[in-house]
Coordinates of all heavy atoms in Angstrom, one line a residue:
M39 N -32.8 -28.9 11.8 CA -31.8 -28.0 11.2 C -32.5 -27.4 10.0 O -33.0 -28.1 9.1 CB -30.6 -28.8 10.8 CG -29.5 -27.9 10.3 SD -27.9 -28.8 10.0 CE -28.3 -29.9 8.6
S40 N -32.4 -26.1 9.9 CA -32.9 -25.4 8.8 C -32.1 -25.6 7.5 O -30.9 -25.7 7.6 CB -32.9 -23.9 9.1 OG -33.1 -23.1 7.9
Q41 N -32.8 -25.8 6.4 CA -32.1 -26.1 5.1 C -32.2 -24.8 4.2 O -32.1 -25.0 3.0 CB -32.7 -27.3 4.4 CG -32.6 -28.6 5.2 CD -31.2 -28.9 5.5 OE1 -30.2 -28.7 4.8 NE2 -30.9 -29.5 6.7
E42 N -32.4 -23.7 4.8 CA -32.5 -22.5 4.0 C -31.1 -22.2 3.4 O -30.1 -22.1 4.0 CB -32.9 -21.3 4.9 CG -33.0 -20.0 4.0 CD -33.2 -18.8 4.9 OE1 -33.2 -18.9 6.1 OE2 -33.2 -17.7 4.3
I43 N -31.2 -22.0 2.0 CA -29.9 -21.7 1.3 C -29.8 -20.2 1.1 O -30.7 -19.6 0.6 CB -29.9 -22.4 -0.1 CG1 -29.9 -23.9 0.1 CG2 -28.7 -21.9 -0.9 CD1 -30.0 -24.7 -1.1
K44 N -28.7 -19.6 1.6 CA -28.5 -18.2 1.5 C -27.5 -18.0 0.4 O -26.7 -18.8 0.1 CB -28.0 -17.7 2.9 CG -29.1 -17.9 4.0 CD -28.6 -17.4 5.3 CE -29.7 -17.7 6.3 NZ -29.3 -17.2 7.6
H45 N -27.5 -16.7 0.0 CA -26.6 -16.4 -1.2 C -26.1 -15.0 -0.9 O -26.8 -14.1 -0.6 CB -27.4 -16.4 -2.5 CG -26.6 -16.1 -3.7 ND1 -27.1 -15.4 -4.8 CD2 -25.3 -16.4 -4.0 CE1 -26.2 -15.3 -5.7 NE2 -25.1 -15.9 -5.3
K46 N -24.8 -14.8 -1.2 CA -24.3 -13.4 -1.2 C -23.2 -13.4 -2.3 O -22.5 -14.3 -2.6 CB -23.7 -13.0 0.2 CG -22.6 -13.9 0.7 CD -22.2 -13.4 2.1 CE -21.1 -14.2 2.7 NZ -20.8 -13.9 4.1
E47 N -23.1 -12.2 -2.9 CA -22.1 -12.0 -3.9 C -21.8 -10.6 -4.1 O -22.5 -9.7 -3.7 CB -22.6 -12.6 -5.3 CG -23.7 -11.9 -5.9 CD -24.1 -12.5 -7.3 OE1 -23.4 -13.4 -7.8 OE2 -25.0 -11.9 -7.9
N48 N -20.6 -10.3 -4.7 CA -20.2 -9.0 -5.1 C -19.9 -9.1 -6.6 O -20.3 -10.0 -7.3 CB -19.1 -8.4 -4.2 CG -17.8 -9.3 -4.3 OD1 -17.6 -10.0 -5.3 ND2 -17.1 -9.3 -3.2
D49 N -19.1 -8.1 -7.1 CA -18.9 -8.1 -8.5 C -18.0 -9.3 -9.0 O -18.1 -9.6 -10.2 CB -18.1 -6.8 -8.9 CG -19.0 -5.6 -8.8 OD1 -20.3 -5.7 -8.7 OD2 -18.5 -4.5 -8.6
T50 N -17.2 -9.8 -8.1 CA -16.3 -10.9 -8.6 C -16.5 -12.2 -8.0 O -16.0 -13.2 -8.5 CB -14.8 -10.4 -8.4 OG1 -14.7 -10.1 -7.0 CG2 -14.5 -9.2 -9.2
R51 N -17.1 -12.3 -6.8 CA -17.1 -13.5 -6.0 C -18.5 -13.7 -5.4 O -19.3 -12.7 -5.3 CB -16.1 -13.6 -4.9 CG -14.7 -13.6 -5.4 CD -13.7 -14.1 -4.3 NE -14.1 -15.3 -3.7 CZ -13.9 -16.6 -4.2 NH1 -13.4 -16.7 -5.4 NH2 -14.3 -17.6 -3.5
G52 N -18.8 -15.0 -5.1 CA -20.1 -15.2 -4.5 C -20.1 -16.5 -3.7 O -19.2 -17.3 -3.9
M53 N -21.1 -16.7 -2.9 CA -21.2 -18.0 -2.2 C -22.7 -18.3 -1.9 O -23.5 -17.4 -1.7 CB -20.4 -18.0 -0.9 CG -20.9 -17.2 0.2 SD -19.8 -17.2 1.6 CE -20.0 -18.8 2.3
F54 N -23.0 -19.6 -2.0 CA -24.2 -20.1 -1.5 C -23.9 -20.9 -0.2 O -22.8 -21.6 -0.1 CB -24.8 -21.1 -2.5 CG -25.4 -20.5 -3.7 CD1 -24.6 -20.4 -4.9 CD2 -26.6 -19.9 -3.7 CE1 -25.1 -19.8 -6.0 CE2 -27.1 -19.3 -4.9 CZ -26.4 -19.2 -6.0
Y55 N -24.7 -20.8 0.8 CA -24.4 -21.4 2.1 C -25.6 -21.6 2.9 O -26.7 -21.1 2.7 CB -23.3 -20.5 2.8 CG -23.9 -19.1 3.2 CD1 -24.3 -18.9 4.5 CD2 -23.9 -18.1 2.3 CE1 -24.8 -17.6 4.9 CE2 -24.4 -16.9 2.7 CZ -24.8 -16.6 4.0 OH -25.3 -15.4 4.3
M56 N -25.4 -22.5 3.9 CA -26.4 -22.8 4.9 C -25.8 -22.6 6.3 O -24.6 -22.8 6.4 CB -27.0 -24.2 4.8 CG -27.8 -24.4 3.5 SD -28.4 -26.1 3.5 CE -27.3 -26.8 2.3
E57 N -26.6 -22.3 7.2 CA -26.0 -22.1 8.6 C -27.0 -22.6 9.6 O -28.2 -22.7 9.4 CB -25.5 -20.6 8.8 CG -26.6 -19.6 8.6 CD -26.0 -18.2 8.6 OE1 -24.8 -18.0 8.8 OE2 -26.8 -17.3 8.3
D58 N -26.4 -22.8 10.8 CA -27.2 -23.1 12.0 C -26.7 -22.2 13.1 O -26.0 -21.3 12.9 CB -27.1 -24.6 12.3 CG -25.7 -25.1 12.7 OD1 -24.8 -24.2 12.9 OD2 -25.5 -26.3 12.8
D59 N -27.1 -22.5 14.3 CA -26.7 -21.6 15.4 C -25.2 -21.7 15.7 O -24.7 -20.8 16.5 CB -27.5 -22.0 16.7 CG -27.5 -23.4 17.1 OD1 -26.7 -24.2 16.4 OD2 -28.2 -23.8 18.0
K60 N -24.5 -22.6 15.1 CA -23.0 -22.7 15.3 C -22.3 -22.0 14.2 O -21.1 -22.0 14.2 CB -22.6 -24.1 15.4 CG -23.1 -24.9 16.6 CD -22.4 -26.2 16.7 CE -23.3 -27.2 17.5 NZ -23.3 -28.6 17.0
G61 N -23.0 -21.5 13.2 CA -22.3 -20.9 12.0 C -22.6 -21.6 10.7 O -23.6 -22.3 10.6
I62 N -21.7 -21.5 9.8 CA -22.0 -22.1 8.5 C -21.9 -23.6 8.5 O -20.9 -24.2 9.1 CB -20.9 -21.5 7.5 CG1 -21.3 -20.0 7.2 CG2 -20.9 -22.3 6.2 CD1 -20.4 -19.3 6.2
T63 N -22.9 -24.3 8.0 CA -22.8 -25.8 7.9 C -22.3 -26.3 6.6 O -21.6 -27.3 6.6 CB -24.3 -26.3 8.1 OG1 -25.1 -25.8 7.1 CG2 -24.8 -26.0 9.5
S64 N -22.5 -25.6 5.5 CA -22.0 -26.0 4.2 C -21.9 -24.7 3.4 O -22.7 -23.8 3.5 CB -23.0 -27.0 3.6 OG -22.4 -27.5 2.4
E65 N -20.9 -24.7 2.5 CA -20.7 -23.5 1.6 C -20.2 -24.0 0.3 O -19.5 -25.0 0.1 CB -19.8 -22.5 2.2 CG -18.4 -23.0 2.4 CD -17.5 -21.9 3.0 OE1 -18.0 -21.0 3.7 OE2 -16.3 -22.0 2.8
L66 N -20.6 -23.2 -0.7 CA -20.1 -23.3 -2.1 C -19.6 -21.9 -2.5 O -20.5 -21.0 -2.5 CB -21.2 -23.9 -3.0 CG -20.9 -24.1 -4.5 CD1 -21.8 -25.2 -5.0 CD2 -21.1 -22.8 -5.3
T67 N -18.4 -21.8 -3.0 CA -17.9 -20.5 -3.4 C -17.6 -20.5 -4.9 O -17.3 -21.5 -5.4 CB -16.7 -20.0 -2.6 OG1 -15.6 -20.9 -2.8 CG2 -17.0 -19.9 -1.1
Y68 N -17.7 -19.3 -5.5 CA -17.5 -19.2 -6.9 C -16.9 -17.8 -7.2 O -17.0 -16.9 -6.5 CB -18.7 -19.4 -7.8 CG -19.9 -18.5 -7.5 CD1 -19.9 -17.2 -8.2 CD2 -20.9 -18.8 -6.6 CE1 -21.0 -16.3 -7.9 CE2 -21.9 -17.9 -6.3 CZ -22.0 -16.7 -7.0 OH -23.0 -15.8 -6.8
T69 N -16.2 -17.8 -8.4 CA -15.8 -16.5 -8.9 C -16.5 -16.2 -10.2 O -16.9 -17.2 -10.9 CB -14.2 -16.5 -9.2 OG1 -13.9 -17.6 -10.0 CG2 -13.4 -16.6 -7.9
K70 N -16.8 -15.0 -10.5 CA -17.5 -14.6 -11.7 C -16.5 -14.1 -12.7 O -15.8 -13.2 -12.5 CB -18.5 -13.5 -11.4 CG -19.7 -14.0 -10.5 CD -20.9 -13.0 -10.6 CE -20.7 -11.8 -9.8 NZ -21.9 -11.0 -9.6
Q71 N -16.6 -14.7 -13.9 CA -15.7 -14.3 -15.0 C -16.4 -13.3 -15.8 O -17.7 -13.2 -15.8 CB -15.4 -15.5 -15.9 CG -14.8 -16.7 -15.1 CD -13.4 -16.4 -14.5 OE1 -12.6 -15.9 -15.2 NE2 -13.2 -16.8 -13.3
D72 N -15.7 -12.4 -16.5 CA -16.3 -11.4 -17.4 C -17.2 -12.0 -18.5 O -18.1 -11.3 -19.0 CB -15.2 -10.5 -18.0 CG -14.5 -9.7 -17.0 OD1 -15.0 -9.5 -15.9 OD2 -13.3 -9.3 -17.2
N73 N -16.9 -13.2 -18.9 CA -17.7 -13.8 -20.0 C -18.9 -14.5 -19.5 O -19.5 -15.3 -20.2 CB -16.8 -14.8 -20.7 CG -16.2 -15.9 -19.8 OD1 -16.5 -15.9 -18.6 ND2 -15.5 -16.8 -20.4
G74 N -19.4 -14.3 -18.3 CA -20.7 -14.9 -17.8 C -20.5 -16.3 -17.3 O -21.5 -17.0 -17.3
V75 N -19.3 -16.7 -16.9 CA -19.1 -18.0 -16.4 C -18.8 -17.9 -14.9 O -18.0 -17.1 -14.4 CB -17.9 -18.7 -17.1 CG1 -17.5 -20.0 -16.4 CG2 -18.2 -18.9 -18.6
L76 N -19.5 -18.8 -14.1 CA -19.3 -18.9 -12.7 C -18.3 -20.1 -12.5 O -18.6 -21.2 -12.9 CB -20.6 -19.2 -11.9 CG -21.7 -18.2 -12.1 CD1 -22.9 -18.6 -11.3 CD2 -21.3 -16.8 -11.7
V77 N -17.2 -19.8 -11.9 CA -16.2 -20.9 -11.6 C -16.4 -21.3 -10.2 O -16.1 -20.6 -9.3 CB -14.8 -20.4 -11.9 CG1 -13.8 -21.6 -11.6 CG2 -14.6 -19.9 -13.3
I78 N -17.0 -22.5 -10.0 CA -17.1 -23.1 -8.7 C -15.8 -23.6 -8.2 O -15.2 -24.5 -8.8 CB -18.2 -24.2 -8.6 CG1 -19.5 -23.7 -9.0 CG2 -18.2 -24.9 -7.2 CD1 -20.6 -24.7 -9.1
D79 N -15.2 -22.9 -7.2 CA -13.8 -23.2 -6.8 C -13.7 -23.9 -5.5 O -12.7 -24.4 -5.1 CB -13.0 -22.0 -6.8 CG -13.6 -20.8 -6.0 OD1 -14.4 -21.1 -5.1 OD2 -13.3 -19.7 -6.4
H80 N -14.8 -24.0 -4.7 CA -14.7 -24.6 -3.4 C -16.1 -25.0 -2.9 O -17.0 -24.3 -3.0 CB -14.0 -23.6 -2.4 CG -13.9 -24.1 -1.1 ND1 -13.0 -25.1 -0.7 CD2 -14.5 -23.8 0.1 CE1 -13.0 -25.3 0.6 NE2 -14.0 -24.5 1.1
T81 N -16.2 -26.2 -2.3 CA -17.3 -26.6 -1.5 C -16.8 -27.2 -0.3 O -15.8 -27.9 -0.2 CB -18.2 -27.7 -2.3 OG1 -17.4 -28.8 -2.7 CG2 -18.9 -27.1 -3.5
E82 N -17.5 -27.0 0.8 CA -17.1 -27.5 2.1 C -18.3 -27.6 3.0 O -19.2 -26.8 3.0 CB -16.1 -26.5 2.8 CG -15.5 -27.1 4.1 CD -14.4 -26.2 4.6 OE1 -13.9 -25.3 3.9 OE2 -14.1 -26.4 5.8
T83 N -18.3 -28.8 3.7 CA -19.4 -29.0 4.7 C -18.7 -29.3 6.0 O -17.7 -30.0 6.1 CB -20.3 -30.2 4.2 OG1 -20.9 -29.9 3.0 CG2 -21.4 -30.5 5.2
R84 N -19.3 -28.8 7.1 CA -18.8 -29.1 8.4 C -18.7 -30.6 8.6 O -19.6 -31.4 8.2 CB -19.7 -28.5 9.5 CG -19.0 -28.4 10.8 CD -19.9 -27.9 11.9 NE -20.5 -26.6 11.6 CZ -21.7 -26.2 12.1 NH1 -22.4 -27.1 12.8 NH2 -22.2 -25.0 11.8
S85 N -17.6 -31.1 9.2 CA -17.2 -32.5 9.1 C -18.3 -33.4 9.7 O -18.6 -34.5 9.1 CB -15.9 -32.8 9.8 OG -16.0 -32.3 11.2
E86 N -19.0 -33.0 10.8 CA -20.0 -33.9 11.3 C -21.3 -34.0 10.5 O -22.1 -34.8 10.8 CB -20.3 -33.5 12.8 CG -21.1 -32.2 13.0 CD -20.2 -31.0 13.2 OE1 -19.0 -31.1 12.9 OE2 -20.7 -30.0 13.8
L87 N -21.4 -33.1 9.5 CA -22.6 -33.1 8.7 C -22.3 -33.6 7.3 O -23.2 -33.6 6.4 CB -23.1 -31.6 8.6 CG -23.6 -31.0 9.9 CD1 -23.9 -29.6 9.8 CD2 -24.8 -31.8 10.5
E88 N -21.1 -34.1 7.0 CA -20.8 -34.6 5.7 C -21.6 -35.8 5.4 O -22.0 -36.5 6.2 CB -19.3 -34.9 5.6 CG -18.4 -33.7 5.5 CD -16.9 -34.1 5.5 OE1 -16.6 -35.3 5.5 OE2 -16.1 -33.1 5.4
G89 N -21.9 -36.0 4.1 CA -22.7 -37.1 3.6 C -24.2 -37.0 3.7 O -24.9 -37.9 3.5
K90 N -24.6 -35.8 4.1 CA -26.1 -35.6 4.3 C -26.7 -34.8 3.0 O -27.8 -34.5 3.0 CB -26.4 -34.8 5.5 CG -26.0 -35.5 6.8 CD -26.6 -34.8 8.0 CE -26.1 -35.3 9.3 NZ -26.3 -36.8 9.5
G91 N -25.8 -34.6 2.0 CA -26.3 -34.0 0.8 C -26.4 -32.5 0.8 O -27.0 -31.9 -0.1
L92 N -25.8 -31.8 1.8 CA -25.9 -30.4 1.9 C -25.2 -29.7 0.7 O -25.7 -28.8 0.1 CB -25.3 -29.9 3.2 CG -25.9 -30.4 4.5 CD1 -25.3 -29.7 5.7 CD2 -27.4 -30.1 4.5
A93 N -24.0 -30.1 0.5 CA -23.2 -29.5 -0.7 C -23.9 -29.8 -2.0 O -23.9 -28.9 -2.9 CB -21.8 -30.1 -0.7
S94 N -24.6 -30.9 -2.1 CA -25.3 -31.2 -3.3 C -26.5 -30.3 -3.5 O -26.8 -29.8 -4.6 CB -25.9 -32.7 -3.3 OG -24.8 -33.6 -3.4
M95 N -27.1 -29.9 -2.4 CA -28.2 -28.9 -2.4 C -27.7 -27.6 -2.9 O -28.4 -26.9 -3.6 CB -28.9 -28.8 -1.0 CG -29.8 -30.0 -0.7 SD -30.8 -29.6 0.8 CE -29.8 -30.4 2.0
L96 N -26.5 -27.2 -2.4 CA -26.0 -25.9 -2.7 C -25.6 -25.9 -4.2 O -25.8 -24.9 -4.9 CB -24.7 -25.6 -1.9 CG -24.9 -25.4 -0.4 CD1 -23.6 -25.2 0.3 CD2 -25.9 -24.3 -0.1
L97 N -25.1 -27.0 -4.7 CA -24.7 -27.1 -6.1 C -26.0 -27.0 -7.0 O -26.0 -26.3 -8.0 CB -24.0 -28.4 -6.4 CG -23.5 -28.5 -7.8 CD1 -22.4 -27.5 -8.1 CD2 -22.9 -29.9 -8.1
K98 N -27.0 -27.7 -6.6 CA -28.3 -27.6 -7.3 C -28.8 -26.2 -7.4 O -29.2 -25.7 -8.4 CB -29.3 -28.6 -6.7 CG -30.7 -28.5 -7.4 CD -31.6 -29.5 -6.8 CE -32.9 -29.6 -7.6 NZ -34.1 -29.5 -6.8
R99 N -28.7 -25.5 -6.2 CA -29.1 -24.1 -6.2 C -28.3 -23.2 -7.1 O -28.8 -22.3 -7.8 CB -29.1 -23.6 -4.7 CG -29.5 -22.2 -4.6 CD -31.0 -22.0 -4.9 NE -31.3 -20.5 -5.0 CZ -31.5 -19.9 -6.2 NH1 -31.4 -20.5 -7.3 NH2 -31.8 -18.6 -6.2
S100 N -27.0 -23.5 -7.1 CA -26.1 -22.7 -8.0 C -26.4 -22.9 -9.5 O -26.4 -22.0 -10.3 CB -24.6 -23.0 -7.7 OG -24.3 -24.3 -8.1
V101 N -26.9 -24.1 -9.8 CA -27.3 -24.4 -11.2 C -28.6 -23.7 -11.5 O -28.7 -23.1 -12.6 CB -27.5 -26.0 -11.4 CG1 -28.2 -26.3 -12.7 CG2 -26.1 -26.7 -11.4
E102 N -29.5 -23.7 -10.6 CA -30.8 -22.9 -10.8 C -30.5 -21.4 -10.9 O -31.0 -20.8 -11.8 CB -31.7 -23.1 -9.6 CG -32.2 -24.5 -9.5 CD -32.9 -24.8 -8.1 OE1 -32.8 -23.9 -7.2 OE2 -33.4 -25.9 -7.9
Y103 N -29.5 -20.9 -10.1 CA -29.1 -19.5 -10.2 C -28.5 -19.2 -11.6 O -28.8 -18.2 -12.2 CB -28.2 -19.2 -9.1 CG -27.6 -17.8 -9.1 CD1 -28.4 -16.7 -8.7 CD2 -26.3 -17.5 -9.5 CE1 -27.9 -15.4 -8.7 CE2 -25.8 -16.2 -9.5 CZ -26.6 -15.2 -9.1 OH -26.1 -13.9 -9.1
A104 N -27.7 -20.1 -12.1 CA -27.0 -19.9 -13.4 C -28.1 -19.8 -14.5 O -28.0 -19.0 -15.4 CB -26.0 -21.0 -13.6
R105 N -29.1 -20.7 -14.3 CA -30.2 -20.7 -15.3 C -31.0 -19.4 -15.3 O -31.3 -18.8 -16.3 CB -31.1 -21.9 -15.1 CG -30.5 -23.2 -15.5 CD -31.4 -24.4 -15.2 NE -30.8 -25.6 -15.6 CZ -30.9 -26.8 -14.9 NH1 -31.7 -26.8 -13.8 NH2 -30.3 -27.9 -15.3
E106 N -31.3 -18.9 -14.1 CA -32.0 -17.7 -13.9 C -31.3 -16.5 -14.5 O -31.9 -15.6 -15.1 CB -32.3 -17.4 -12.4 CG -33.2 -18.4 -11.7 CD -33.1 -18.3 -10.2 OE1 -32.5 -17.4 -9.7 OE2 -33.6 -19.2 -9.5
K107 N -30.0 -16.5 -14.4 CA -29.2 -15.3 -14.8 C -28.5 -15.5 -16.1 O -27.7 -14.7 -16.5 CB -28.1 -15.0 -13.7 CG -28.7 -14.8 -12.3 CD -29.4 -13.4 -12.3 CE -29.9 -13.1 -10.8 NZ -30.6 -11.9 -10.8
N108 N -28.7 -16.6 -16.8 CA -28.1 -17.0 -18.0 C -26.5 -17.0 -17.9 O -25.8 -16.5 -18.8 CB -28.5 -16.0 -19.1 CG -29.9 -16.2 -19.5 OD1 -30.4 -17.3 -19.7 ND2 -30.7 -15.1 -19.7
Y109 N -26.1 -17.6 -16.8 CA -24.7 -17.9 -16.6 C -24.3 -19.3 -17.0 O -25.2 -20.1 -17.1 CB -24.2 -17.7 -15.1 CG -24.2 -16.3 -14.6 CD1 -24.9 -16.0 -13.4 CD2 -23.6 -15.3 -15.2 CE1 -24.9 -14.8 -12.8 CE2 -23.6 -14.0 -14.7 CZ -24.2 -13.7 -13.5 OH -24.2 -12.5 -13.0
K110 N -23.1 -19.6 -17.3 CA -22.6 -20.9 -17.4 C -21.7 -21.2 -16.2 O -21.3 -20.3 -15.5 CB -21.8 -21.1 -18.7 CG -22.5 -20.9 -20.0 CD -23.6 -22.0 -20.2 CE -24.3 -21.9 -21.5 NZ -25.3 -22.9 -21.7
I111 N -21.5 -22.5 -15.9 CA -20.7 -22.9 -14.8 C -19.5 -23.7 -15.2 O -19.6 -24.6 -16.0 CB -21.6 -23.7 -13.8 CG1 -22.6 -22.9 -13.1 CG2 -20.7 -24.4 -12.7 CD1 -23.6 -23.6 -12.2
D112 N -18.4 -23.4 -14.6 CA -17.2 -24.2 -14.8 C -16.9 -24.9 -13.4 O -16.5 -24.2 -12.5 CB -16.0 -23.3 -15.1 CG -14.7 -24.1 -15.2 OD1 -14.7 -25.3 -15.0 OD2 -13.6 -23.4 -15.5
P113 N -17.2 -26.2 -13.3 CA -17.1 -26.8 -12.0 C -15.6 -27.2 -11.7 O -15.2 -28.4 -11.9 CB -18.0 -28.1 -12.2 CG -17.9 -28.4 -13.7 CD -17.7 -27.1 -14.4
L114 N -14.9 -26.2 -11.3 CA -13.5 -26.4 -11.0 C -13.2 -27.4 -9.8 O -12.3 -28.2 -9.9 CB -12.8 -25.1 -10.8 CG -11.3 -25.1 -10.7 CD1 -10.6 -25.5 -12.0 CD2 -10.8 -23.7 -10.3
C115 N -14.0 -27.2 -8.8 CA -13.7 -28.0 -7.6 C -14.1 -29.4 -7.8 O -15.0 -29.7 -8.6 CB -14.4 -27.4 -6.4 SG -15.8 -28.3 -5.7
P116 N -13.3 -30.4 -7.3 CA -13.5 -31.8 -7.6 C -14.9 -32.3 -7.3 O -15.5 -33.1 -8.1 CB -12.5 -32.5 -6.7 CG -11.4 -31.5 -6.5 CD -12.1 -30.2 -6.5
F117 N -15.5 -31.8 -6.2 CA -16.9 -32.2 -5.8 C -17.9 -31.8 -6.9 O -18.7 -32.6 -7.4 CB -17.3 -31.6 -4.5 CG -18.7 -31.9 -4.1 CD1 -19.1 -33.1 -3.6 CD2 -19.7 -30.9 -4.4 CE1 -20.4 -33.3 -3.2 CE2 -21.0 -31.2 -4.1 CZ -21.4 -32.4 -3.5
A118 N -17.8 -30.5 -7.3 CA -18.7 -30.0 -8.4 C -18.5 -30.8 -9.7 O -19.5 -31.1 -10.4 CB -18.5 -28.5 -8.5
E119 N -17.2 -31.1 -10.0 CA -16.9 -31.8 -11.2 C -17.6 -33.1 -11.3 O -18.3 -33.5 -12.2 CB -15.4 -31.9 -11.4 CG -15.0 -32.5 -12.7 CD -13.5 -32.5 -12.9 OE1 -12.8 -32.4 -11.9 OE2 -13.0 -32.6 -14.0
V120 N -17.5 -33.9 -10.2 CA -18.1 -35.2 -10.1 C -19.6 -35.1 -10.2 O -20.3 -35.9 -10.9 CB -17.7 -35.9 -8.7 CG1 -18.6 -37.1 -8.4 CG2 -16.3 -36.3 -8.8
K121 N -20.2 -34.1 -9.5 CA -21.7 -33.9 -9.5 C -22.2 -33.6 -10.9 O -23.2 -34.0 -11.3 CB -22.1 -32.9 -8.5 CG -22.0 -33.4 -7.1 CD -22.8 -34.6 -6.8 CE -22.5 -35.2 -5.4 NZ -23.2 -36.5 -5.2
F122 N -21.4 -32.8 -11.6 CA -21.8 -32.4 -13.0 C -21.7 -33.7 -13.9 O -22.6 -33.8 -14.8 CB -20.9 -31.3 -13.6 CG -21.5 -30.0 -13.5 CD1 -21.5 -29.3 -12.3 CD2 -22.2 -29.4 -14.6 CE1 -22.1 -28.0 -12.2 CE2 -22.8 -28.1 -14.5 CZ -22.7 -27.5 -13.3
D123 N -20.8 -34.6 -13.6 CA -20.7 -35.8 -14.4 C -21.9 -36.7 -14.1 O -22.5 -37.4 -14.9 CB -19.4 -36.6 -14.1 CG -18.2 -36.0 -14.7 OD1 -18.4 -35.2 -15.7 OD2 -17.1 -36.3 -14.3
E124 N -22.4 -36.7 -12.8 CA -23.5 -37.6 -12.4 C -24.8 -37.0 -12.8 O -25.7 -37.8 -13.1 CB -23.5 -37.6 -10.8 CG -22.4 -38.5 -10.2 CD -22.5 -38.4 -8.7 OE1 -23.4 -37.8 -8.1 OE2 -21.6 -39.0 -8.1
H125 N -25.0 -35.7 -12.9 CA -26.3 -35.1 -13.2 C -26.3 -34.6 -14.6 O -25.9 -33.4 -14.9 CB -26.6 -34.0 -12.2 CG -26.8 -34.5 -10.8 ND1 -28.0 -34.9 -10.4 CD2 -25.9 -34.7 -9.8 CE1 -28.0 -35.3 -9.1 NE2 -26.7 -35.2 -8.7
K126 N -26.8 -35.4 -15.5 CA -26.8 -35.0 -16.9 C -27.7 -33.7 -17.1 O -27.5 -33.0 -18.1 CB -27.3 -36.1 -17.8 CG -26.7 -37.4 -17.6 CD -25.3 -37.5 -18.3 CE -24.7 -38.9 -18.3 NZ -23.5 -39.0 -17.4
E127 N -28.7 -33.5 -16.2 CA -29.6 -32.4 -16.4 C -28.9 -31.1 -16.1 O -29.5 -30.0 -16.3 CB -30.8 -32.6 -15.4 CG -30.5 -32.5 -14.0 CD -30.1 -33.8 -13.3 OE1 -29.7 -34.7 -14.0 OE2 -30.3 -33.8 -12.0
Y128 N -27.7 -31.1 -15.6 CA -26.9 -29.9 -15.3 C -26.1 -29.4 -16.6 O -25.6 -28.3 -16.6 CB -25.9 -30.0 -14.2 CG -26.5 -30.2 -12.8 CD1 -25.7 -30.5 -11.8 CD2 -27.9 -30.1 -12.6 CE1 -26.2 -30.7 -10.5 CE2 -28.4 -30.3 -11.3 CZ -27.5 -30.6 -10.3 OH -28.0 -30.8 -9.0
R129 N -26.1 -30.3 -17.6 CA -25.2 -30.0 -18.8 C -25.6 -28.7 -19.5 O -24.7 -28.1 -20.1 CB -25.4 -31.2 -19.8 CG -24.8 -32.5 -19.3 CD -23.3 -32.5 -19.3 NE -22.7 -33.5 -18.5 CZ -22.6 -34.8 -18.8 NH1 -22.9 -35.2 -20.0 NH2 -22.0 -35.6 -17.9
D130 N -26.8 -28.2 -19.4 CA -27.2 -27.0 -20.1 C -26.5 -25.8 -19.6 O -26.4 -24.8 -20.3 CB -28.8 -26.8 -20.0 CG -29.3 -26.6 -18.6 OD1 -28.9 -27.5 -17.7 OD2 -30.0 -25.6 -18.3
V131 N -26.0 -25.9 -18.4 CA -25.2 -24.7 -17.8 C -23.7 -24.9 -17.8 O -23.0 -24.1 -17.3 CB -25.8 -24.3 -16.4 CG1 -27.2 -23.8 -16.5 CG2 -25.6 -25.4 -15.4
L132 N -23.3 -26.0 -18.3 CA -21.8 -26.4 -18.3 C -21.1 -25.5 -19.3 O -21.4 -25.5 -20.5 CB -21.6 -27.9 -18.6 CG -20.2 -28.4 -18.4 CD1 -19.7 -28.2 -17.0 CD2 -20.2 -29.8 -18.9
A133 N -20.1 -24.8 -18.8 CA -19.3 -24.0 -19.7 C -18.4 -24.9 -20.6 O -17.9 -25.9 -20.1 CB -18.3 -23.1 -18.9
S134 N -18.3 -24.5 -21.9 CA -17.6 -25.4 -22.8 C -16.1 -25.1 -22.8 O -15.7 -24.0 -22.4 CB -18.2 -25.3 -24.2 OG -18.3 -24.0 -24.5

């Protein structure tokens, strides 16, 4: 299974995702605030692939993206919130 992380966004929303021949395997969606904050509002992984770290990879990529673009992240979705608590190295992009 390919682990290529894809990204698409417009002026207000975006998503990081992975897919296979059946479609999207895991996705993380966010909204962009005017103040440079990305609000992660949803993560989802296809049920038979849960627990394999796919959503964690997407979250890591979103943190890298925030660093590249000088965004901050508000981890609104419960999964993202837990991961931000677990990964102290993500604190530099955490919106206050």
Side-chain angles (χ1 to χ4, degrees):
M39 184 172 70
S40 165
Q41 300 301 324
E42 181 193 358
I43 295 176
K44 300 180 180 180
H45 182 218
K46 60 184 179 184
E47 67 176 358
N48 59 29
D49 291 340
T50 56
R51 294 198 48 81
M53 71 184 287
F54 290 96
Y55 63 102
M56 290 182 259
E57 54 191 357
D58 61 13
D59 52 6
K60 295 185 204 147
I62 289 180
T63 55
S64 188
E65 66 180 21
L66 176 154
T67 61
Y68 61 86
T69 54
K70 292 199 285 194
Q71 308 293 314
D72 292 337
N73 59 357
V75 173
L76 303 180
V77 179
I78 296 177
D79 50 25
H80 180 70
T81 52
E82 185 174 346
T83 299
R84 198 184 302 149
S85 57
E86 71 265 23
L87 298 172
E88 285 178 0
K90 298 190 187 306
L92 299 182
S94 293
M95 284 190 263
L96 295 180
L97 185 65
K98 181 176 183 225
R99 179 67 192 102
S100 69
V101 168
E102 292 165 357
Y103 177 74
R105 287 177 181 142
E106 289 162 15
K107 304 288 186 182
N108 291 316
Y109 289 131
K110 295 292 185 185
I111 291 178
D112 177 1
L114 185 65
C115 112
F117 174 83
E119 187 177 18
V120 165
K121 291 299 175 186
F122 263 79
D123 285 344
E124 288 177 5
H125 292 272
K126 309 283 188 248
E127 69 272 21
Y128 292 174
R129 294 283 160 85
D130 62 308
V131 296
L132 186 62
S134 48

